[in-house]
Structure formats: C-alpha cells, structure tokens
Amino acid sequence: MAELTTVARPYAKAAFQFADEARALSEWSSMLTLAATVAQQDSVAAFLANPRLTSAQKADAFLQLCADKLTAAGKNFIALLAQNKRLSALPEIAVLFEALKSQKEQSVDVEIVSAFTLSAEQTNTLAGSLKKKLGRDINVTTAVDASILGGAIIKAGDLVIDGSVRGKLARLAETLNS
C-alpha cells in the first residue's frame, strides 16, 4: 500500500496544482472520482493488467469509457497515466487529490457510525463540536451499525474517536487480561 501511495503522490500533486491554478478543483475531483471508480471495476482492472496491450490501446479504451465526463486536460492526464503505466494507481490518486483538496478548502470529511439513527439535532451538535476541535469545516456522513451496541465511532481523516460500547468493552477486556 505504501508503494502505491508513493507512486500516486506526484500525480495527485500535479493534478491538484493544475486544478487549483485553473480554479477547477470540484471538476477535477469529479473526474478523478469517476476515473477511479472505472479503474476499480473488475473487468477494467483485468483489461488494464493485460501485458499484450499497448499503453495507447489502454488509454483509448479507458477514455472511451469516460469520454463525455472528462475535459481535454482530464483526457491528457489519463493518457499520461497510461503512457507511464500508472492507470491502476487512479484510485489512490483520487484519494490523495481529495486529501489535498480538503486541506486547501479547510474542510474534512467526517463519518459518524452509531448504533442507532442520529437525529438532525444530534448530528449538528456533533458536527459543531468537531468543527471547534478540528478548526475546519465539517462534511458529515452518518451510518448505523448495531454491532457497536451504543455510543458512536467518529472518523475524521486519521483521527478516530471510538466512543462505542463495543470499544469500551474491548478496552476493559484488554485491561483485565494484562
């Protein structure tokens, strides 16, 4: 995984710098998300891994799948990735691009997993607290996972706050066993 990140990082930075200068961060975000989704499809991944195909053939086929959703610069980026045999890195490039975009926009995507559906008021209260703690705008998504028994697990980038009953029981068991 670290190797893939190392390969993807310069492409993500270059795409971000280009998109930022062109004031097209959202457009590039959409294009990279689409391209990453296409690249992750099993049939497409198998096609891209075929050693008998040239880089140009792979780029042409990939561009046909996404043609109407990519700008000229986006098409050039895909062609460059194909030429350098990096189309398989598209999902990681998209993730790194989004991280750079969030950092620039001073926002962070937060996932709140709770045992029960949260009300709008509870979600807004948590979002407000996280905004204060992180000093950034918060984009909240919520999910329900009954297996955590109660409480919530909050994921914001590298930060994970496990306030679930399941997590507390696991920490208690670990303490008792040591």
Side-chain angles (χ1 to χ4, degrees), residues 73-142:
K75 290 176 183 177
N76 287 340
F77 186 70
I78 296 299
L80 176 70
L81 290 174
Q83 180 181 354
N84 293 327
K85 298 177 178 35
R86 300 291 191 238
L87 282 173
S88 61
L90 265 167
E92 187 66 17
I93 292 169
V95 167
L96 293 171
F97 181 91
E98 288 303 318
L100 291 168
K101 181 177 176 263
S102 291
Q103 187 176 19
K104 165 108 174 134
E105 294 175 343
Q106 289 293 304
S107 67
V108 65
D109 293 329
V110 175
E111 180 184 17
I112 302 172
V113 181
S114 60
F116 306 98
T117 304
L118 296 176
S119 69
E121 182 182 337
Q122 291 169 321
T123 303
N124 291 337
T125 301
L126 281 170
S129 297
L130 287 168
K131 183 175 180 173
K132 278 185 196 175
K133 179 176 176 66
L134 300 175
R136 293 178 166 196
D137 289 333
I138 306 295
N139 304 318
V140 177
T141 58
T142 59

Side-chain angles (χ1 to χ4, degrees), residues 43-62 82-83 85 87:
S43 58
V44 175
F47 179 82
L48 295 176
N50 187 340
R52 293 187 209 143
L53 298 173
T54 67
S55 297
Q57 289 172 318
K58 291 177 184 180
D60 288 342
F62 197 90
Q83 180 181 354
K85 298 177 178 35
L87 282 173

